Amino acid sequence: LDWCECQNLLSCPNATISSAGSTNLGDCTSTKNEVLHSISLLPPRNLTTQLPSTEEGTVDESITLQLDPFDAAILTVDQSMMPNNFTYGEHYQMAIYDGCKPCPLRYQCDKAIDEGSVQPAACHYPSTEKQLDILNECLKQHRRKVCLSVDGSHEDVETCESFEEDARDNNDVTSSDAFVLFSEPDMEKCLSRPYFCADTSWNFLSFRRLCQDTHDGGNTSPVYDCSDVQRWQTYSQWRNKICCSQVPELRGINSCHPHQVCGDDTIIERVIREKLIGVFELEYGYIPPIEQREGQLIMNASLQEEMDHENPLDLFNEYSNTGKVTPHNRYKPESSQTWMTTPGCCKCLRHPMPAFFETDSHVSGFPDDKHQPIQLAITALARVELTIVVELLHGAYYSDFSHYFGAMDKTMLRIHSPSRFAEDNAQATWVAVIEQSNFEKLNIDLPLNLPTDVTASRFLVDRPSNISIGDHRIVFENDAVHDHRRFNTLSYPTSDPIESVREEDEWWPHDFLALPYIPFFSNCDGYDSHISISRLLEEHPDCQGVGYDDTLPTKEYAVNGKLPVGDTCLGVMLRCTYEEQVREARKNLRWFEASPGSTLFHITKDAVTSNQFTPSTSEEEWGRTDALNNMRNHDLIPVSVDKEMGGCRHTIPRKVQLELKYFQVTKGEKRLVESRLYFDELCTTQQPEHFGGSTNILDMMQERGIYPCDVDINGDIKSHGYDLEIQYYALGWFALLNRFEFGGFVYFIFFTLVGLTICVMGGFVYGMNRLLTKLRHPPQFMGFSLIKLVSRPQIEGATLAFIPYTAAILVIHSLFSDSTITFNDVHRDWLRGGKVGEKEQIENAIGRLGSAFIVLGFYSVYKAIQKLIPAAQGRRVDAGSDAKGDTGSLASKRAYFLWLGLSIEAILICLLEFSYSDVFRNNIYRFKVLFQLCQMLLDIVTSHIMGDRLLAAPLLVSIQMAELLVTIGARNFVEFTMSFLVEVSLIIVQRLFLYPLIKIVFTLWPRWKILASDALGGKNMTRQEKQEREIRWKKANEDIELRSEGIEPLLDSLSIYSVEKTAGILLPYICLLLMLLYTETEMAMSYNIKQHELLYYGFFFFF
């Protein structure tokens, strides 16, 4: 052999391959299907820890990382000093395994196609025989101690060891014959290791026991397996049955003795052994012993252990069950009960890593971008046990790999557990909730940071680009005082490929999903794609955390207490990057294009514990438990886009602000109160006009003050980044009162105080009038009698009206609120065809419900007109009267009343629409004064037009009720209360001054009219004209005297009081009605009032 050809005989290193004809070692590339060495990345490791072996078949026995739901493990790996040519993905890789250990070193898994997806099934290497050899090696290396007594029963090992030690100390040799202490291969430990590629089922295995019988005379039998005693008994019973069953082979032989026992004749035994033993072996799976055994256990440890046996697996007996009575029958494997099944190691798959690890970018001096500190943020969604290792993929780098990753100071680990949202440091946090119905309503794309496979995903892996946010222990480059390690804390972010993270509408595994991170915001420095809510608010370096003892909660009854002291995050900025293709034309909106007022997602009001988040039954999944589903009704806070600072299609905001306001209930408990999103610094994604952008869209955007985003010379957007600003702080007492965060008793006291204030105002006005009156004998106070006289009929009448009207509303609501109950497959117009979609069903239900209420309203008005304007008018109709004329007059009067009522309702609808505006909210006191004056004008005009105060009363009640109802359009509850007090003050002024003044003007107007005519042209009157003038003057004075001193002033005052009181009685009922029809009317939504808050307004009006 030519020595010069030796170099050509060299093959590629382990786990590599080269193309045919390659002559250079550099041509050998990794197969990426074989792990040569594996080292754990989990600290701590001490200096005495030995590196794992690189021998083939070595299993990973490194420590695991156990995380509970909501835990976040931040693992920082310093790779800045790695050899320059050591390339990620080609030479080594990081791997995370969930709940399993990977295959031993050098194993190569096959890949079988299963329903279009690649799923590892078995091994290409090693063979099954080799896997068994590796198991035998494990059994040789790992043994466990057992102690057996003379009769073969198990004894406690510690007791035996103690007894043996005492016997050794006392030189008592005979005592050792009472038991035998030895070791046997640890089968359970070895089977727990992933030595087998595919799932492997095992029958019950028991290490054999050696026996040797001593006969009379001192002779000993050969050494045998103690299980032969049981096998002989089974054989003896079978032989007796055969001998007494008259089988042809034993015909002519007296084989059956009395008591159905086989004879001891050697001929019988020889016939059975020669001709029938195969039947026994087929039935029981083994050849029985030749003679009966006594089962005397050998009390010799070395013989029992047989440690030099080449295949320890052969020393184990197989049984059909754990009772060790019936041996396993290899001819009837179905008769044996599986003892355990070892899962195939090829099922233990490496968890998908972030996009940063799947791509390589050449950095100056390095073949990849991994020669820097790398941080992994692992967020647990369930209870997980993780193996985190770095794996060698190329055989040319054994030494570099072991030398670098075998060092003790390359990794740092910190585990975050939420602890500042609930008392007793309970592992609880706020969670975000996304709902399918909300996305369908808004026609908005799903977030790009959702778990791809919700069922299989048990944890999330992120690679933050700013590692200083994840671990505060990291030493900055400008501060190397505390540690010799210097980390470059900033690197560029890597966006996930859009096709790998975009989910379509069919993604939903359930109608809702709870997430421990903030949806939509992805690719943010310090967090990557999943911003953990608890990590952000508890541990961000720019947040100000307050210690438990220094926290000052807001007490419900401390009106003038100190401002709360709690955790705050004011102006915390995160630099994020849009992973969406912002210029792509999409059917749905993206989250940053959401219109003002849109609710993108929700956050739980109270902290959710890990037990509530994880399933308690087999029918539940994480984030979709019954406990979370029950919170959806009242315990969710909407995260809505601000009504003034929202988005629109073809734009992206350069600054997004997330505002979170909370209630510091106790020192350790926080309750979320309000959350809002603000989109600022919008720019349009349309290219400038000279790059071919749409002129119409650009002009429309320019009218809104939105201009194109900065572009490069090719017309592409220069930067896809945006700033996410976090505002997180506690609210004070009055702010919490406005948001109805206190208990009901607080509002009971508040309502009582407001009622007492109104009583004090009324008492003050009455007292001043009582003191300043000119009457010598002032009338006695009759307020309680008046209330009894007037209020009781009002309350009784309103209650009687509520009963049938409420019943009608409930029936209509139950019939038409859900279109699946009635008219499920009926379209709302004739032009539509095909199947009615779910969205159309909802629209149909709302439309039919509104139509039914309109019909109910017109019917109620019709019946009311009949009662208010009856046909007989309270008088008798003569037979000879003109019935046709009376009928025409009646119809005309009713039509006139209906027209006036509808006109007033139209005016009130305009008033309600105006009350939704910010102009009304910001100037509510001015408009209340204006509305009060307009109400007086409508009161006078309506009463004058109708000519009857009784007919005008229903219209005046509706006017008064609308005026009180728009008061809830105030910016908050405290302002609503103040505006209500202002309205009460205006009513007092109106009742004491304005109404009497107007009454005086209307009363004296005839006299003033006569005086004015006299002053203008009364000097040249004839005598007859003077007489007529005197008659008019006398009649006018008599009318004035009658109106001033008769019963009419009292009736007018009583009428005004009754109208206002009736409107006040009806308002609580209206609030309850608005609660029932919250989503259908959208009135309370327009006032930014939540459904349950209407109950407080109703109680307020009730008080």
Side-chain angles (χ1 to χ4, degrees), residues 868 897 900-901 904-905 908 932 934-946 948-964 990 995 1052 1054-1064 1066:
L868 290 172
F897 181 83
L900 184 60
I904 292 177
E905 290 301 321
L908 296 181
Q932 197 70 31
C934 293
Q935 179 200 348
M936 292 175 52
L937 179 61
L938 284 174
D939 186 355
I940 296 170
V941 172
T942 304
S943 300
H944 178 73
I945 292 176
M946 295 307 300
D948 190 337
R949 189 74 179 181
L950 180 62
L951 290 179
L955 304 178
L956 298 177
V957 168
S958 63
I959 295 172
Q960 180 69 27
M961 192 164 53
E963 186 184 352
L964 292 173
Q990 171 186 315
Y995 265 119
D1052 288 341
L1054 184 62
S1055 173
I1056 296 172
Y1057 170 79
S1058 299
V1059 167
E1060 295 172 351
K1061 185 68 176 179
T1062 303
L1066 293 176

Side-chain angles (χ1 to χ4, degrees), residues 3-24:
W3 280 21
C4 295
E5 295 295 327
C6 288
Q7 62 177 355
N8 298 329
L9 299 179
L10 297 178
S11 61
C12 283
N14 291 341
T16 62
I17 193 173
S18 64
S19 58
S22 299
T23 59
N24 193 333

Side-chain angles (χ1 to χ4, degrees), residues 671-687:
R671 182 187 302 159
L672 186 62
V673 175
E674 187 176 303
S675 180
R676 191 157 298 174
L677 281 171
Y678 301 88
F679 296 160
D680 198 7
E681 299 179 11
L682 270 64
C683 66
T684 178
T685 56
Q686 282 287 313
Q687 291 180 321

Side-chain angles (χ1 to χ4, degrees), residues 523-542:
N523 203 2
C524 298
D525 58 357
Y527 300 93
D528 199 11
S529 294
H530 306 97
I531 303 177
S532 170
I533 296 176
S534 60
R535 275 190 61 206
L536 172 66
L537 302 181
E538 292 185 8
E539 295 186 349
H540 194 280
D542 295 335

Side-chain angles (χ1 to χ4, degrees), residues 558-847:
V559 181
N560 295 322
K562 298 180 180 178
L563 292 176
V565 177
D567 300 339
T568 56
C569 298
L570 300 178
V572 173
M573 303 296 293
L574 302 178
R575 184 62 181 173
C576 304
T577 303
Y578 290 110
E579 293 189 313
E580 294 84 357
Q581 297 178 353
V582 295
R583 280 186 171 172
E584 180 186 16
R586 295 284 295 172
K587 179 182 68 174
N588 295 335
L589 296 173
R590 274 76 64 90
W591 65 271
F592 48 81
E593 297 174 327
S595 58
S598 302
T599 298
L600 294 182
F601 59 97
H602 296 79
I603 300 179
T604 55
K605 190 179 186 70
D606 296 303
V608 175
T609 63
S610 58
N611 291 332
Q612 292 174 317
F613 186 78
T614 54
S616 58
T617 64
S618 59
E619 298 178 354
E620 297 178 342
E621 297 286 347
W622 66 261
R624 291 148 288 167
T625 63
D626 292 337
L628 291 170
N629 192 28
N630 294 333
M631 295 181 184
R632 296 171 61 192
N633 296 327
H634 305 290
D635 297 331
L636 296 183
I637 301 299
V639 181
S640 302
V641 181
D642 185 69
K643 292 188 175 181
E644 297 295 330
M645 302 176 67
C648 63
R649 191 179 286 273
H650 304 299
T651 63
I652 57 172
R654 291 300 189 182
K655 183 177 180 181
V656 179
Q657 185 184 102
L658 174 61
E659 188 178 45
L660 300 169
K661 306 175 185 177
Y662 68 91
F663 172 21
Q664 189 73 50
V665 183
T666 62
K667 286 181 176 294
E669 181 183 357
K670 294 179 176 65
R671 182 187 302 159
L672 186 62
V673 175
E674 187 176 303
S675 180
R676 191 157 298 174
L677 281 171
Y678 301 88
F679 296 160
D680 198 7
E681 299 179 11
L682 270 64
C683 66
T684 178
T685 56
Q686 282 287 313
Q687 291 180 321
E689 189 173 352
H690 58 276
F691 280 109
S694 173
T695 306
N696 295 333
I697 295 178
L698 291 173
D699 291 343
M700 179 183 66
M701 292 297 173
Q702 189 172 1
E703 291 176 359
R704 301 181 181 182
I706 301 174
Y707 298 93
C709 302
D710 294 338
V711 297
D712 56 19
I713 58 175
N714 298 318
D716 298 326
I717 297 178
K718 283 186 177 180
S719 171
H720 286 74
Y722 65 97
D723 293 325
L724 175 60
E725 180 181 354
I726 307 298
Q727 298 287 345
Y728 170 66
Y729 54 91
L731 294 175
W733 193 89
F734 278 101
L736 294 171
L737 180 72
N738 285 332
R739 292 164 175 83
F740 304 98
E741 292 298 322
F742 296 135
F745 189 70
V746 174
Y747 291 95
F748 173 81
I749 295 175
F750 181 75
F751 296 163
T752 303
L753 292 177
V754 173
L756 291 175
T757 301
I758 294 174
C759 292
V760 169
M761 293 170 60
F764 174 78
V765 171
Y766 175 80
M768 292 299 296
N769 280 275
R770 180 70 172 78
L771 291 174
L772 300 177
T773 184
K774 296 181 181 180
L775 298 176
R776 180 175 297 180
H777 302 288
Q780 194 177 26
F781 180 72
M782 303 294 290
F784 296 106
S785 299
L786 180 64
I787 292 175
K788 184 178 179 180
L789 176 65
V790 179
S791 298
R792 181 177 177 181
Q794 288 177 317
I795 294 174
E796 291 178 353
T799 303
L800 292 175
F802 288 160
I803 295 174
Y805 207 76
T806 302
I809 289 177
L810 292 178
V811 169
I812 291 174
H813 188 267
S814 62
L815 288 177
F816 297 103
S817 61
D818 188 357
S819 63
T820 59
I821 299 177
T822 55
F823 309 108
N824 183 22
D825 298 326
V826 179
H827 291 281
R828 61 175 176 264
D829 59 58
W830 301 107
L831 299 179
R832 294 177 180 264
K835 185 179 180 180
V836 180
E838 184 177 352
K839 183 177 180 180
E840 185 180 354
Q841 287 182 0
I842 297 174
E843 296 174 351
N844 292 347
I846 295 176

Side-chain angles (χ1 to χ4, degrees), residues 845-1101:
I846 295 176
R848 288 161 183 162
L849 183 66
S851 301
F853 280 139
I854 291 175
V855 173
L856 176 63
F858 273 107
Y859 178 77
S860 301
V861 170
Y862 171 73
K863 299 300 291 186
I865 292 175
Q866 284 186 328
K867 297 298 181 182
L868 290 172
I869 308 176
Q873 292 287 330
R875 58 183 176 80
R876 208 171 101 189
V877 181
D878 297 335
S881 62
D882 188 359
K884 183 176 180 181
D886 291 344
T887 302
S889 176
L890 179 64
S892 175
K893 193 170 187 179
R894 288 177 175 177
Y896 194 64
F897 181 83
L898 177 61
W899 174 83
L900 184 60
L902 294 178
S903 300
I904 292 177
E905 290 301 321
I907 296 174
L908 296 181
I909 289 176
C910 296
L911 172 64
L912 290 173
E913 288 291 335
F914 176 70
S915 67
Y916 302 150
S917 65
D918 291 332
V919 177
F920 176 79
R921 291 191 185 94
N922 298 331
N923 303 275
I924 188 170
Y925 300 115
R926 295 185 181 91
F927 283 110
K928 290 300 292 184
V929 175
L930 178 62
F931 290 166
Q932 197 70 31
L933 296 175
C934 293
Q935 179 200 348
M936 292 175 52
L937 179 61
L938 284 174
D939 186 355
I940 296 170
V941 172
T942 304
S943 300
H944 178 73
I945 292 176
M946 295 307 300
D948 190 337
R949 189 74 179 181
L950 180 62
L951 290 179
L955 304 178
L956 298 177
V957 168
S958 63
I959 295 172
Q960 180 69 27
M961 192 164 53
E963 186 184 352
L964 292 173
L965 188 61
V966 298
T967 308
I968 66 177
R971 287 176 293 189
N972 51 60
F973 186 70
V974 172
E975 189 171 277
F976 160 77
T977 305
M978 296 303 298
S979 63
F980 184 81
L981 293 176
V982 168
E983 180 158 358
V984 171
S985 302
L986 292 174
I987 290 175
I988 292 175
V989 173
Q990 171 186 315
R991 296 281 298 280
L992 291 179
F993 301 105
L994 297 182
Y995 265 119
L997 178 61
I998 294 174
K999 183 68 176 178
I1000 291 174
V1001 171
F1002 273 89
T1003 302
L1004 296 180
W1005 179 250
R1007 178 188 293 176
W1008 293 347
K1009 188 177 179 180
I1010 294 174
L1011 292 176
S1013 64
D1014 290 346
L1016 293 176
K1019 296 181 179 181
N1020 299 322
M1021 291 188 299
T1022 61
R1023 180 179 296 179
Q1024 183 177 357
E1025 289 175 345
K1026 290 182 179 180
Q1027 289 178 354
E1028 292 176 355
R1029 186 261 182 194
E1030 289 295 331
I1031 294 172
R1032 291 199 309 272
W1033 176 263
K1034 184 176 180 181
K1035 187 176 183 305
N1037 288 330
E1038 289 177 355
D1039 292 339
I1040 292 171
E1041 185 177 355
L1042 181 63
R1043 292 183 179 181
S1044 301
E1045 299 180 0
I1047 196 66
E1048 189 169 346
L1050 183 61
L1051 293 177
D1052 288 341
S1053 178
L1054 184 62
S1055 173
I1056 296 172
Y1057 170 79
S1058 299
V1059 167
E1060 295 172 351
K1061 185 68 176 179
T1062 303
I1065 293 173
L1066 293 176
L1067 275 178
Y1069 178 77
I1070 297 299
C1071 289
L1072 295 177
L1073 189 60
L1074 290 178
M1075 281 187 66
L1076 177 65
L1077 305 174
Y1078 182 78
T1079 56
E1080 289 82 0
T1081 62
E1082 297 185 357
M1083 287 183 62
M1085 292 183 185
S1086 302
Y1087 290 133
N1088 293 327
I1089 297 175
K1090 300 175 184 177
Q1091 189 173 16
H1092 71 278
E1093 294 176 353
L1094 285 170
L1095 190 63
Y1096 291 95
Y1097 284 97
F1099 280 130
F1100 181 90
F1101 287 125

